[in-house]
Amino acid sequence: MKITDVAAAAGVAPMTVSRVLNTPDRVSEATALKVREAIERLGYVPNLIAGGLSSRRSRMIAAIVPTIASPMFSAPVQTFTDVLGQAGYHVMLGLSGYKPDGEDALIRAVLTRRPDGLLLTGASHSPAVRRLLKDAGVPVVEIWDAAEHPTDMLVGFDHAELGVAVADFFAAGGHTRFMIFAAGDPRAAARREGFVRRVAQHGGTLVAERTLPAPSGIIDGRLALRAVAPLLTERTALFGSSDNVAFGAMEEARALGIAVPQRLAICGFGDFELSRGCEPPITTVSVDGAEMGRVAAENLLARMNGRAAPRRVLVPSRIIERAST
């Protein structure tokens, strides 16, 4: 797709399209609107790299994650950056948040810089973004997901199966009453779905479930437990969508005089330092994020250098049992 195609579709000169992209204040609003509609309709992505560069490679990789507020994304991003740095690439980090339109806008902006590769979090994207990625012809690796049909390459794990594993762990400990506090993002929702489904298969009772803001923190965990505390009349098992949520719930339980783990058993997710250093230490699900980042970087390097790479790789996860259960 070229700028002349956009100009023809909008019924303007190529120079006008260029002005809309670079100096929109020099173009009337009506003309700019026609050009933007043509750009959107055609899926055109402008090339902002100077045409006189001797190499077509930018040596830049874009990594897009929802947030840096959560430690769970730090390990894969760090190893991804380290491996690519050793190969002479620079990683540009972008934060998409948890709203689909935030990711769409960021991916579109990143592609204008013509990166040599992309790392995306999750495999759920809008049809417009999928079309952009396909047309851009840039190698893409998605992490933190287990989609059967990734956009290009995927390195991740199955969130629903992880939820199933936690329900099995609690059931093996004799629990029959369950709660779940899950953030309102697709991956936490998948963990919730697996957990709830397995609880039902075990014949257990789901006493309460709470949907928390994404990303969720310690205060969210405290407030959620405060809201359901009257239901804790018998021994209950709680699955939190992150260790921060689990820690917040445990702190609120302590404040309310609810014994952990005698009355409330708690399992988190992420194996944060917080879950190892608190008292009692929190049982958690650990995913090898560093391995995820390493494999993602190596597969992306292979593709950028014309070699084949696996389309889908799943990294291991395990439940680390501690005193909170």
Side-chain angles (χ1 to χ4, degrees):
M1 188 65 60
K2 300 178 181 178
I3 197 170
T4 51
D5 299 317
V6 176
V12 299
M15 180 58 71
T16 302
V17 178
S18 179
R19 285 174 179 159
V20 170
L21 294 171
N22 299 297
T23 55
D25 56 312
R26 298 178 58 189
V27 183
S28 72
E29 187 57 37
T31 300
L33 180 61
K34 287 197 301 182
V35 171
R36 293 192 191 103
E37 287 176 345
I39 289 173
E40 182 68 26
R41 187 169 67 253
L42 298 175
Y44 173 71
V45 179
N47 188 351
L48 300 185
I49 297 178
L53 292 177
S54 59
S55 172
R56 293 183 62 190
R57 288 202 172 189
S58 64
R59 310 299 295 182
M60 186 267 286
I61 307 296
I64 297 177
V65 297
T67 179
I68 55 172
S70 172
M72 67 179 63
F73 295 114
S74 60
V77 169
Q78 186 63 63
T79 53
F80 181 80
T81 301
D82 290 345
V83 172
L84 285 164
Q86 292 168 7
Y89 287 87
H90 298 285
V91 175
M92 179 178 69
L93 181 64
L95 306 180
S96 61
Y98 285 91
K99 295 181 179 179
D101 55 349
E103 183 190 58
D104 287 12
L106 186 53
I107 290 174
R108 185 179 293 276
V110 162
L111 287 176
T112 65
R113 271 71 184 175
R114 290 299 190 270
D116 291 335
L118 275 175
L119 176 141
L120 302 178
T121 305
S124 298
H125 313 293
S126 71
V129 162
R130 286 192 175 276
R131 186 175 68 247
L132 279 176
L133 294 172
K134 181 179 179 181
D135 292 346
V138 175
V140 176
V141 60
E142 293 159 325
I143 63 168
W144 219 257
D145 210 324
E148 292 286 346
H149 304 287
T151 301
D152 187 1
M153 298 174 286
L154 179 143
V155 183
F157 61 97
D158 192 318
H159 291 263
E161 286 304 309
L162 188 149
V164 167
V166 174
D168 286 345
F169 169 79
F170 278 141
H175 288 279
T176 59
R177 289 165 51 87
F178 304 86
M179 291 182 174
I180 182 165
F181 300 163
D185 69 85
R187 291 167 292 279
R191 297 195 292 276
R192 183 204 65 80
E193 184 276 328
F195 181 81
V196 171
R197 170 166 44 87
R198 195 61 153 191
V199 164
Q201 290 171 348
H202 281 297
T205 300
L206 187 67
V207 179
E209 69 177 290
R210 307 281 293 186
T211 300
L212 311 180
S216 301
I218 294 171
I219 297 301
D220 298 302
R222 293 200 67 156
L223 293 175
L225 189 76
R226 190 177 305 169
V228 303
L231 302 175
L232 292 170
T233 56
E234 301 176 42
R235 184 170 177 251
T236 304
L238 168 66
F239 181 29
S241 64
S242 73
D243 282 353
N244 284 342
V245 169
F247 176 77
M250 189 171 72
E251 286 299 290
E252 188 64 22
R254 189 199 311 274
L256 296 174
I258 298 170
V260 176
Q262 293 82 0
R263 178 60 61 87
L264 180 66
I266 300 175
C267 178
F269 168 70
D271 193 20
F272 301 169
E273 183 180 12
L274 177 72
S275 68
R276 301 191 294 272
C278 62
E279 184 57 43
I282 299 172
T283 294
T284 188
V285 183
S286 176
V287 175
D288 196 341
E291 177 70 0
M292 190 186 308
R294 183 190 66 78
V295 174
E298 290 178 351
N299 289 355
L300 199 61
L301 281 169
R303 284 287 308 284
M304 291 188 299
N305 288 298
R307 303 193 306 272
R311 182 164 174 78
R312 186 171 178 265
V313 178
L314 299 184
V315 298
S317 63
R318 62 191 178 99
I319 295 175
I320 302 175
E321 185 173 5
R322 297 186 180 126
S324 69
T325 55

